[in-house]
Amino acid sequence: MARHIGWFDSSQDWTRPSEKTVAISSAFSDELMQEYREIVSIISELRPFIIDYLCIERDFSELSTVEALLTAEIQKTGVVPFLAGTAFMPTHVAAQHALTNFLISASTFLERTICRIARTYGNDSTEAIGFKELRQMLYSQSFGYRLCYHLRNFSQHQESPLDIIPIHAKADGEHYKVSIKLELERDNLVKGIRKIRDEVSKQPPKIPVLPCAQDYFRCLSQLFHFLIHTQADRIGNLVGYIAAIKRTFKNMPSDAVPFIWEGDFPPTNPEFQIKAHSFSIDELERLIQIMRAIRARSAGPFQYNESSVSQIG
């Protein structure tokens, strides 16, 4: 089957390929295709890790805003908080949902990452050893990590993490100003979380949720950042490879993206199926954005030696 490298104008209708939307350049040999697969494969290799991390990021974003959103919703209803239990049941559901989702996505990321690293790189690889060492270090340094990690098991096997959601109302002129704070009942956790029972027992009776979740998310972000940096050389190779590919097309529009086309062009069969291979440029750019955002949120140096490949954050 014929194979060529070219570019596609992404501003056009991709379902109707023609000379106006697609430009085909030189033939693409089997040797070049093998090189392409070896270099670009890093994106498909890292994609599952990236998706799981983005799930944590999304759930943490929801959790971090739930107090303000629920406060505004209750304030808008005008219902007297202490006289309307059923009216505020959706508030409890929303808060429980946000916290549970975050705990589950965090645990899923950790467990899947460990399995994927072992399967992809080996149990004795630098990736596996480094990830384990960093995870243990962050666990030992962060109460938020320890609490949220065990809170997930507690919430799944024993009890809901949020026993009650206190609604505070303070007089503000002729009206009351409502506020909500998500808090964990210390005494309930002491009964159910044995591994850090002594530490939990020394906490205040009401443990704020968001500071602990924020620290847990920070640790998980650092673990993800470390994992991606173990592949910094391969990502750097992909950055250079894409730059070299783009240089081969002097007249490529700014909205166009390079790709590899298999089959005749223009298509001679009206029943043809598009078979093309992308260079995963958009996924690479998204990964770089994620890495730089993690670095920007970091208050200090990470607990490992970072790569000199500046393109990935």
Side-chain angles (χ1 to χ4, degrees):
M1 178 181 291
R3 185 190 299 123
H4 295 79
I5 189 170
W7 53 258
F8 172 74
D9 188 347
S10 58
S11 66
Q12 304 296 321
D13 182 2
W14 67 270
T15 65
R16 302 174 65 87
S18 67
E19 291 89 342
K20 295 181 179 179
T21 61
V22 176
I24 295 299
S25 181
S26 57
F28 208 70
S29 66
D30 291 342
E31 291 76 16
L32 291 175
M33 193 65 187
Q34 180 63 29
E35 179 187 41
Y36 158 84
R37 291 194 176 103
E38 291 175 357
I39 295 176
V40 180
S41 65
I42 184 60
I43 294 298
S44 59
E45 185 177 299
L46 295 179
R47 187 180 297 124
F49 299 107
I50 297 170
I51 291 173
D52 279 354
Y53 176 75
L54 290 177
C55 287
I56 307 173
E57 186 177 69
R58 178 176 179 174
D59 289 338
F60 174 73
S61 177
E62 180 181 346
L63 177 61
S64 64
T65 59
V66 73
E67 288 184 346
L69 291 175
L70 294 179
T71 295
E73 185 64 26
I74 292 174
Q75 191 76 47
K76 184 174 63 176
T77 63
V79 180
V80 181
F82 55 83
L83 295 180
T86 57
F88 296 104
M89 193 171 291
T91 298
H92 202 141
V93 170
Q96 199 82 268
H97 185 265
L99 178 56
T100 300
N101 280 357
F102 172 67
L103 295 174
I104 290 175
S105 62
S107 177
T108 299
F109 166 77
L110 288 170
E111 298 306 318
R112 284 180 180 170
T113 298
I114 291 171
C115 291
R116 287 186 185 123
I117 289 176
R119 186 169 60 247
T120 305
Y121 308 112
N123 286 316
D124 298 325
S125 63
T126 55
E127 291 88 351
I129 295 172
F131 189 86
K132 180 179 180 180
E133 290 178 347
L134 180 60
R135 182 183 181 187
Q136 291 173 340
M137 180 185 300
L138 293 171
Y139 177 90
S140 67
Q141 293 175 348
S142 167
F143 172 70
Y145 188 141
R146 294 189 295 276
L147 178 62
C148 290
Y149 179 78
H150 294 292
L151 186 62
R152 182 263 179 184
N153 291 330
F154 173 83
S155 65
Q156 179 173 346
H157 301 292
Q158 298 188 47
E159 188 53 86
S160 301
L162 297 172
D163 185 30
I164 61 172
I165 300 178
I167 301 174
H168 305 282
K170 182 179 181 181
D172 184 17
E174 298 180 355
H175 304 278
Y176 279 91
K177 188 174 183 180
V178 176
S179 64
I180 291 177
K181 292 294 181 184
L182 302 187
E183 297 172 332
L184 303 171
E185 295 286 339
R186 178 197 62 194
D187 294 343
N188 289 344
L189 299 182
V190 168
K191 297 174 185 178
I193 301 181
R194 290 179 292 178
K195 290 188 177 181
I196 56 171
R197 176 177 294 166
D198 292 342
E199 186 176 19
V200 171
S201 67
K202 297 175 184 178
Q203 302 300 314
K206 305 287 187 181
I207 305 175
V209 169
L210 293 187
C212 294
Q214 185 174 23
D215 203 33
Y216 192 30
F217 178 62
R218 177 190 61 82
C219 293
L220 296 173
S221 296
Q222 191 170 152
L223 284 166
F224 175 78
H225 195 278
F226 165 80
L227 173 63
I228 300 302
H229 259 285
T230 64
Q231 306 304 311
D233 289 344
R234 293 175 64 192
I235 296 173
N237 287 341
L238 177 57
V239 171
Y241 181 66
I242 291 173
I245 292 294
K246 286 184 175 181
R247 286 195 297 269
T248 64
F249 301 111
K250 297 180 180 180
N251 300 319
M252 186 171 69
S254 59
D255 291 331
V257 291
F259 74 104
I260 299 166
W261 177 281
E262 290 195 2
D264 297 329
F265 189 87
T268 56
N269 182 357
E271 303 296 327
F272 87 105
Q273 293 182 344
I274 296 175
K275 187 171 184 180
H277 307 270
S278 80
F279 289 83
S280 300
I281 296 175
D282 55 337
E283 291 185 83
L284 174 63
E285 291 174 344
R286 182 71 178 101
L287 175 58
I288 292 172
Q289 291 174 356
I290 295 169
M291 295 291 283
R292 289 177 176 172
I294 293 174
R295 164 51 64 201
R297 291 195 301 265
S298 176
F302 288 160
Q303 301 292 332
Y304 55 89
N305 293 325
E306 295 184 66
S307 167
S308 60
V309 180
S310 61
Q311 295 102 319
I312 63 171

